[in-house]
Amino acid sequence: MNVFDFDKTIYHGDSTCDFVIFCMKRHPKALLYIPYIGYASLRYYLFHIGTKTQFKEKMYRFLKVCDTQKDVGVFWSRKLSGIKTFYKSIRRDDDLIISASPEFLLKPLEELLHIRVIASRVSPVDGKTTGENCYHEEKVRRFRELYPDDRIEEFYSDSYSDEPLALLAEKAFIVDGETLIPWDYQHHKKNLRT
């Protein structure tokens, strides 16, 4: 099987950010959460307080004022065109996405793109998480949980933070726009905050 990160890898941009903005425009009450999201961002990114999972759980609280299931359907009806051309040309039936984006946002892609999805378990109702943010080593754990004996033929990501998955693959590539670059194992990131 081939395994892909999603955001900035096979999708132009960050689907979570795009979805947050989409919901803010669609549900004016969600705008009331902007100061809260800003505060959570400062705590995590500037002052290094808490984990990425805790930050995201705070960020997703705006979902309380959304109709998430309906919003996700409308979102993908408008944003599916953001799938990159290179992916369309190499797509296979056994492809797998492993992403830190919320599962409720990416699960519709299983039907829309005929691809399997592993993502962060986030409640579409209140933004609460179950388990850890699907990032870095957690991606490997989640992969092995579902596919204990499977091998990854090719792995694609826009970020060297995905090196734990790249190490499982026979071949790995960094995706820069539509360009595929062989993975440089000397360029790994250390001390990643999860």
Side-chain angles (χ1 to χ4, degrees), residues 39-55:
Y39 174 71
S41 299
L42 284 174
R43 280 178 51 92
Y44 178 73
Y45 289 107
L46 187 62
F47 298 111
H48 305 290
I49 298 171
T51 66
K52 190 170 276 195
T53 302
Q54 291 167 333
F55 157 69

Side-chain angles (χ1 to χ4, degrees), residues 43-94:
R43 280 178 51 92
Y44 178 73
Y45 289 107
L46 187 62
F47 298 111
H48 305 290
I49 298 171
T51 66
K52 190 170 276 195
T53 302
Q54 291 167 333
F55 157 69
K56 287 193 169 184
E57 190 168 77
K58 289 179 175 109
M59 180 186 74
Y60 291 128
R61 286 187 184 175
F62 77 92
L63 293 171
K64 293 176 184 178
V65 298
C66 298
D67 182 355
T68 308
Q69 185 175 359
K70 186 175 181 182
D71 293 337
V72 168
V74 176
F75 176 80
W76 284 120
S77 72
R78 297 178 185 178
K79 295 290 189 176
L80 199 58
S81 60
I83 301 300
K84 294 183 180 183
T85 304
F86 95 86
Y87 176 69
K88 294 174 187 174
S89 70
I90 65 170
R91 193 198 82 71
R92 293 180 5 184
D93 288 339
D94 65 345

Side-chain angles (χ1 to χ4, degrees), residues 4 8-10 12 84-87 89-90 155-160 172-183:
F4 299 82
K8 299 178 185 170
T9 299
I10 68 171
H12 287 286
K84 294 183 180 183
T85 304
F86 95 86
Y87 176 69
S89 70
I90 65 170
F155 175 68
Y156 300 81
S157 177
D158 70 301
S159 172
Y160 282 105
F173 300 92
I174 282 287
V175 179
D176 183 7
E178 295 280 352
T179 304
L180 304 180
I181 303 163
W183 198 277

Side-chain angles (χ1 to χ4, degrees), residues 131-149:
E132 292 299 315
N133 185 48
C134 191
Y135 174 76
H136 196 54
E137 292 283 353
E138 182 66 9
K139 288 187 175 186
V140 172
R141 192 191 72 70
R142 295 279 306 280
F143 175 74
R144 286 294 177 218
E145 183 180 274
L146 293 174
Y147 304 100
D149 301 316

Side-chain angles (χ1 to χ4, degrees), residues 7-22:
D7 297 312
K8 299 178 185 170
T9 299
I10 68 171
Y11 175 78
H12 287 286
D14 185 309
S15 61
T16 301
C17 288
D18 289 350
F19 184 69
V20 171
I21 293 166
F22 172 83

